[in-house]
Amino acid sequence: MANLPSSSTRIIPDIARVPRHVAIIMDGNGRWAKQRFLPRVMGHQRGVEALREVVKSCRELGVEYLTVFAFSSENWRRPADEVSFLMTLFLKMLEREVAKLHENDIRLKIIGDRSRFDDKLKQAMQHAEHLTVNNTGLVLTIAANYGGRWDVMHAVQAMLREHPQLAQGFAEEDLSPYLSMSDAPEPDLFIRTGGEQRISNFMLWQLAYTELYFTDVLWPAFGRKELDTAIDSYQKRERRFGRTSEQLPGNQLLDRQGKANA
Ligand code: IPE
Ligand code: IPE
Ligand code: MG
């Protein structure tokens, strides 16, 4: 299919020194607050500030896509008052920050199942996406009521609705246009703050060949310095995509090579 970004399992992607796409699980807000004898929700509030700084840094560094996990399909299991605080915070963030994102040429996108959000939040999401649709500076994608399994199942259902004959059998390229983030390259670098080393149902499909980076730093304390450290780690990785080390062009690491072609 035309104009689709390459799939790492079908075509070896070109690798840039600065990751084109960074995906982050912003974890540790509750513990950050608890350490300060504050209610958990204060950690979420400070988490928005951390996000603001990371967006700005990515823009400065030339990252093209930043995708952040804000609320998982399993986070509804939390106490009702925390869930409701997060929904209100999300709405306020959309209302307050969108003009500034727009000024900075940032395109905002939201992925996840919106059906469970209230109308006001749905409208704010639509408005934010619509306002920033033509911006080309950085694509900021917020995953809200998102789950990697939901993403794949939703894509299969949508594909079969449009192409019932594919129930007989289909290929990766038939499915990929229906997945969230189908118009972005796959993440180069995945960061999880907060010390846990797990994916927690984030972009299961898209992370196939992403470099994983875990840090104990709690999300509200994550900023430019921590992002630089994560990118330094990324630049020392050898991305083989199934090949042997000897097969790589020049057999060099990314930070000596700048750009490695397939
Ligand atoms: C991540 O921080 C934010 C959301 C999941 C909404 P947590 O709230 O999970 O913080 P910890 O992991 O309990 O410290
Ligand atoms: C993952 O964090 C989801 C978000 C950061 C939005 P969680 O705190 O919900 O993950 P688990 O429960 O520790 O795996
Ligand atoms: Mg957590």
Side-chain angles (χ1 to χ4, degrees):
M1 271 184 220
N3 294 327
L4 282 177
S6 63
S7 146
S8 60
T9 44
R10 291 190 301 121
I11 298 158
I12 300 166
D14 280 352
I15 302 304
R17 186 174 157 74
V18 171
R20 289 185 68 196
H21 185 174
V22 176
I24 306 182
I25 297 187
M26 309 183 289
D27 195 22
N29 294 349
R31 279 163 288 163
W32 181 92
K34 201 171 167 197
Q35 281 176 358
R36 285 159 183 79
F37 306 101
L38 296 168
R40 288 179 53 84
V41 294
M42 291 302 289
H44 298 318
Q45 206 142 18
R46 285 297 291 265
V48 176
E49 283 170 45
L51 178 57
R52 207 178 286 134
E53 182 173 337
V54 168
V55 169
K56 185 168 170 269
S57 305
C58 282
R59 181 110 169 70
E60 287 164 5
L61 287 162
V63 170
E64 295 168 56
Y65 299 87
L66 172 65
T67 304
V68 295
F69 207 4
F71 192 87
S72 77
S73 44
E74 289 70 53
N75 285 145
W76 299 103
R77 296 169 178 164
R78 293 191 177 198
D81 56 347
E82 182 170 339
V83 170
S84 128
F85 183 93
L86 283 166
M87 294 301 143
T88 308
L89 185 66
F90 200 16
L91 182 63
K92 278 192 200 155
M93 196 213 85
L94 287 172
E95 287 172 350
R96 284 191 200 144
E97 311 274 337
V98 165
K100 207 162 151 236
L101 292 176
H102 188 43
E103 261 170 51
N104 287 302
D105 201 22
I106 294 166
R107 178 169 184 185
L108 186 73
K109 286 185 154 196
I110 292 131
I111 54 168
D113 179 1
R114 295 186 200 194
S115 60
R116 234 176 129 173
F117 295 133
D118 71 27
D119 287 344
K120 225 174 155 196
L121 189 50
K122 280 186 211 155
Q123 277 163 19
M125 288 173 166
Q126 216 178 356
H127 168 74
E129 288 184 320
H130 186 70
L131 180 73
T132 61
V133 71
N134 293 316
N135 293 346
T136 54
L138 167 79
V139 181
L140 169 63
T141 303
I142 299 180
N145 193 20
Y146 175 88
R149 291 187 178 177
W150 166 84
D151 194 356
V152 175
M153 293 197 307
H154 176 261
V156 171
Q157 282 164 2
M159 180 192 73
L160 292 179
R161 216 177 297 124
E162 280 185 36
H163 305 284
Q165 76 283 7
L166 291 177
Q168 306 306 315
F170 60 89
E172 196 189 303
E173 54 270 38
D174 295 317
L175 183 67
S176 48
Y178 296 93
L179 290 159
S180 302
M181 310 296 301
S182 63
D183 46 2
E186 292 171 24
D188 298 294
L189 171 63
F190 161 97
I191 298 171
R192 182 173 186 144
T193 62
E196 313 297 351
Q197 302 198 354
R198 54 178 172 251
I199 303 291
S200 299
N201 200 15
F202 196 32
M203 305 172 87
L204 298 177
W205 178 283
Q206 297 84 349
L207 293 172
Y209 271 103
T210 303
E211 295 298 327
L212 307 181
Y213 177 85
F214 298 94
T215 173
D216 289 336
V217 175
L218 303 172
W219 176 251
F222 191 90
R224 175 63 193 254
K225 185 166 71 73
E226 289 74 21
L227 180 66
D228 285 342
T229 308
I231 292 178
D232 278 351
S233 162
Y234 169 79
Q235 288 172 341
K236 294 189 175 74
R237 311 281 178 96
E238 188 180 70
R239 302 190 71 189
R240 293 192 288 275
F241 298 98
R243 297 163 296 177
T244 69
S245 194
E246 291 71 23
Q247 285 175 293
L248 303 186
N251 188 21
Q252 285 176 339
L253 290 174
L254 276 176
D255 60 345
R256 276 186 282 145
Q257 188 180 6
K259 194 174 160 70
N261 291 310

